[in-house]
Amino acid sequence: EVQLVESGGGLVQPGGSLRLSCLASGFTFSSYTMNWVRQAPGKGLEWVAGISVRGSTSMYADSVKGRFTISRDNAKNTLYLQLDALKTVDTAMYYCAKEAAAYSVVKPLNEYESGRLLRGQGTRVTVSS
């Protein structure tokens, strides 16, 4: 059974940092492009970042470019998202998301495509003073 378990969320002040983790199991993690998507209160899913199977290629939504960093450790079956310079608009539930097919190309995803990814239960990030 495929499982994605996110952790690391919490309450942080504007300008602060968090590091999210996602522990994957039940599939060959090193064969799949991985993504982070988020859902702000009352809004739809937003793709945040994606990373290739070996971590050599990463892409970001314009809204987080330069502030967030996606990475992975295939030996630990773990995906990460470093969140820096957080803003109140970053408040959302953050989900680790797996592509359906192995070795997919990393690319920005729209809301529909993000919704079709297999996601974990999420970890909540709240940015507030």
Side-chain angles (χ1 to χ4, degrees), residues 39-99:
Q39 187 165 26
K43 296 192 176 181
L45 280 173
E46 177 189 16
W47 176 82
V48 174
I51 189 167
S52 60
V53 296
R54 295 180 181 175
S56 56
T57 301
S58 57
M59 298 186 73
Y60 299 89
D62 288 343
S63 58
V64 307
K65 199 172 295 182
R67 300 187 299 119
F68 291 7
T69 304
I70 188 172
S71 61
R72 65 191 297 163
D73 186 335
N74 287 343
K76 296 182 178 179
N77 283 0
T78 302
L79 179 72
Y80 302 100
L81 187 68
Q82 178 69 37
L83 290 69
D84 295 317
L86 281 161
K87 305 176 181 179
T88 55
V89 295
D90 295 318
T91 294
M93 186 73 83
Y94 284 73
Y95 300 93
C96 167
K98 170 189 171 293
E99 293 279 353

